[in-house]
Amino acid sequence: MAHVNEIEAPVKSLVTEGLLVAFQKIVGKEHVMIDEENRTEYGHDKTEDYQFMPDIVIKPGSTQEVSELLKLCNQHCIPVTPRGAGTGLSGGALPTRRGAVISMERFNKILNIDEMNLQAMVEPGVITEVFQNTVKAKNLFYPPDPASKGSCFLGGNLANNSGGPKAVKYGVTRDYVINMEVVLPSGEIIWTAANVLKNSTGYNLTQLMCGSEGTLGIITKIVFKLRGFPQKTVLMMIPFVTNEEACKAIAAIFTAGIVPSGMEFFEREAAERTFEYCDKVLGSPVTTKLTEGMNAYLLCELDGNDEEVLMRDAERVMTVVEKFQSGEVLFAESAAQKEELWKIRKNISPAVNWHTLTKSDDVVVPRANLPKLITGIKEIGKRYGFNTVCFGHLGDGNLHVNILKENISNERWENEIPKGIGEIFKLTVSLGGTLSGEHGIGIAKRPYMTIAMSEVNLNLMRGIKKVFDPNEILNPGKIF
């Protein structure tokens, strides 16, 4: 796994002068970049400090342009890496085999909002939060809500099947995709389904594309289904003495028949680092205080349209958590206080990465096994000599584990710490879980795939990849 050696050791470009001219003819000279500054910028994302230098960066503006680019690259066996906003945490959009990065940032239009059918057609370069706010103005709701929603693209959400806090009640990106326009590596253009809510016509290519990490085709249009927007929310921050008690309480809340719209977990250390980050980096200090002696916190959100029902459910939540080692529950009394509590949760990842380099994983297990998972992770950290900060969407069993580099030597970071990560994945699988809930596999988790998948499973996936992409030009070296 390479980091920066591509920049340090110049190599001959895979893109000839003739291909460069052809690319420029397709999309225009201003949308083709071969200078080092731009190639460096498009050679990294949010995954550790990885850097891979592409030969060229191309920004098409239409489906037909994407088609012509892929035909040309396929003909000349030029590796192609599709790219969204570059917010990924598994290296899925990194040009590990050089070639061309095809950036989808010009595909930034919301094409249609069909209020009668509760559907919207969008391009993949639309920022998630922009889409959410646009449909909200029509009293409609698009629930998938990744922490990076203010910058990530809808196409990237599709590539990794992103979720976020609302997934516990409303589901993940996959649950809202009805149809997609996709350009195959051959340059052929297909629609994966029809704009209908029920479809039993052949294999489900829409669901296959969702979560495929840009290895099967380039998405150029998406049809999403929408919901009515819930008018009321109640938000509580619940402190616990230990991580394990918080995890036990989560399962008990669901057993009591309560379905929160958000159930987020974070350790005290995660919150403290976030407070410092908000103050020193964002210039927006957090006024919320952490409870003395409490080392784990849940954010529990309830939503709906009847305030009395929500308050009764909130009282039921409080009754449940009283059975565990918990502290006084903080009710957000205003929109500003709700916003601040969510600010804590959504800034944990950038705060931890501001503090130190991290290896970020997002394992997922059945909810009831969360206490064993988090206890085991801490034990593995002690054995291998690393500190972890844990947080995430524990309502659906999805725990984000940030392993901190801090004072660990580069040699141990590259050679010993991955062994500890392997132990975390083995523990996860032994508890009925798997390697990723929403970040994807990319290159960061690729070495561990055999822990979660049999060779039969992997060969089926390789076979599907071969059917879609016989020359293996599209996002090569990812997942497998």
Side-chain angles (χ1 to χ4, degrees), residues 44-174:
H44 68 87
D45 61 5
K46 299 298 184 181
T47 311
E48 283 191 62
D49 56 350
Y50 292 162
Q51 178 76 58
F52 296 87
M53 201 72 149
D55 295 302
I56 191 168
V57 178
I58 309 172
K59 300 180 181 181
S62 70
T63 301
Q64 191 56 44
E65 288 180 1
V66 174
S67 173
E68 292 179 32
L69 290 171
L70 284 180
K71 283 179 185 175
L72 200 55
C73 289
N74 197 41
Q75 180 183 345
H76 293 272
C77 292
I78 302 296
V80 173
T81 304
R83 182 181 173 94
T87 59
L89 293 167
S90 67
L94 299 181
T96 57
R97 299 188 184 174
R98 300 173 26 227
V101 165
I102 292 186
S103 170
M104 301 302 288
E105 63 199 85
R106 293 176 62 207
F107 283 75
N108 59 1
K109 300 180 188 66
I110 298 172
L111 300 171
N112 178 50
I113 298 175
D114 182 349
E115 296 177 66
M116 291 295 291
N117 287 306
L118 294 180
Q119 294 180 10
M121 183 182 292
V122 302
E123 292 182 330
V126 174
I127 293 173
T128 305
E129 190 171 30
V130 170
F131 179 53
Q132 289 176 324
N133 291 340
T134 302
V135 300
K136 183 181 178 181
K138 298 179 179 294
N139 207 31
L140 299 174
F141 185 33
Y142 174 70
D145 193 39
S148 58
K149 67 179 182 179
S151 55
C152 64
F153 290 173
L154 290 168
N157 295 171
L158 277 172
N160 288 326
N161 191 29
S162 300
K166 298 285 193 291
V168 63
K169 180 176 181 178
Y170 292 106
V172 295
T173 303
R174 171 177 283 131

Side-chain angles (χ1 to χ4, degrees), residues 197-210:
L197 296 178
K198 295 175 71 176
N199 189 337
S200 186
T201 311
Y203 294 149
N204 195 328
L205 297 179
T206 307
Q207 294 295 292
L208 179 61
M209 289 298 304
C210 191

Side-chain angles (χ1 to χ4, degrees), residues 259-270:
V259 183
S261 55
M263 181 62 82
E264 297 291 298
F265 162 85
F266 52 86
E267 297 182 282
R268 185 183 190 93
E269 184 179 358

